[in-house]
Amino acid sequence: MEDTTSGPASQQWTRGRRLGIDLGKARVGVAVCDPDGILATPVATVRRDLKTAGEDIPSDIREIAETAAEYEVVEIVVGLPVTLSGEEGPAAAHTRAWVERLTDHVSPVPVTLTDERMTTAVATRRLNEGGVRGSRKRSIVDQAAAVEILQQWLDQRRR
């Protein structure tokens, strides 16, 4: 697992689709980009599986792995929740543990962590500006946050 939370990675750019992931307590937002890494678009919202324990693979990880295979992604980018000061708390530890399980299941596709500060707030604001409200907003805010995470990561790579 690569961690780009402290700045852009130095790895060579490989053409191909990438999956963006916004891991929440109840849902996982999923986005994908085009093969040239220009534009991230929403794909799905996956319900979290918090009941599966031990060696069994949680259904959310299984579904994301299937989506990654369907889109033939070359990398998965997961938002890491850090505080505004850049420190990691319990949410970041939870995300890292989930990413370890995901990484084991999607290997050899690399999984990268990236700073997700403010992405949900930006996604919510954009949905509000677009007139999306109520239950419809709740159902797509996770996808919109995944789009923000992936788009910010892609834009950093282009700089």
Side-chain angles (χ1 to χ4, degrees):
M1 159 183 29
E2 183 182 348
D3 192 332
T4 63
T5 56
S6 59
S10 60
Q11 81 180 57
Q12 185 76 17
W13 177 263
T14 304
R15 188 175 189 277
R17 292 177 175 264
R18 277 140 176 99
L19 216 56
I21 303 291
D22 175 50
L23 181 68
K25 291 179 181 174
R27 294 173 304 278
V28 182
V30 182
V32 70
C33 71
D34 60 284
D36 293 318
I38 295 170
L39 184 65
T41 56
V43 171
T45 300
V46 176
R47 183 160 307 286
R48 286 291 308 276
D49 177 357
L50 301 173
K51 293 182 176 24
T52 302
E55 296 299 310
D56 293 336
I57 299 162
S59 62
D60 54 345
I61 288 177
R62 223 177 17 254
E63 191 171 336
I64 290 165
E66 289 168 4
T67 302
E70 176 186 337
Y71 283 96
E72 299 176 339
V73 301
V74 297
E75 188 170 9
I76 298 173
V77 179
V78 180
L80 181 68
V82 294
T83 64
L84 290 177
S85 64
E87 295 181 18
E88 292 187 20
H94 175 78
T95 297
R96 285 185 182 278
W98 185 88
V99 165
E100 275 187 43
R101 291 189 85 179
L102 176 67
T103 301
D104 289 344
H105 195 62
V106 299
S107 181
V109 175
V111 180
T112 300
L113 286 167
T114 189
D115 185 337
E116 72 165 26
R117 272 181 274 191
M118 306 301 291
T119 54
T120 300
V122 169
T124 301
R125 187 182 76 238
R126 288 191 180 167
L127 290 173
N128 287 340
E129 289 169 355
V132 179
R133 303 256 189 268
S135 63
R136 183 161 174 259
K137 182 170 80 175
R138 277 193 302 279
S139 70
I140 62 172
V141 72
D142 301 295
Q143 290 178 43
V147 166
E148 290 295 327
I149 289 166
L150 184 55
Q151 192 65 56
Q152 286 180 12
W153 185 86
L154 292 168
D155 292 347
Q156 283 180 339
R157 295 297 153 297
R158 269 199 300 281
R159 283 189 209 121

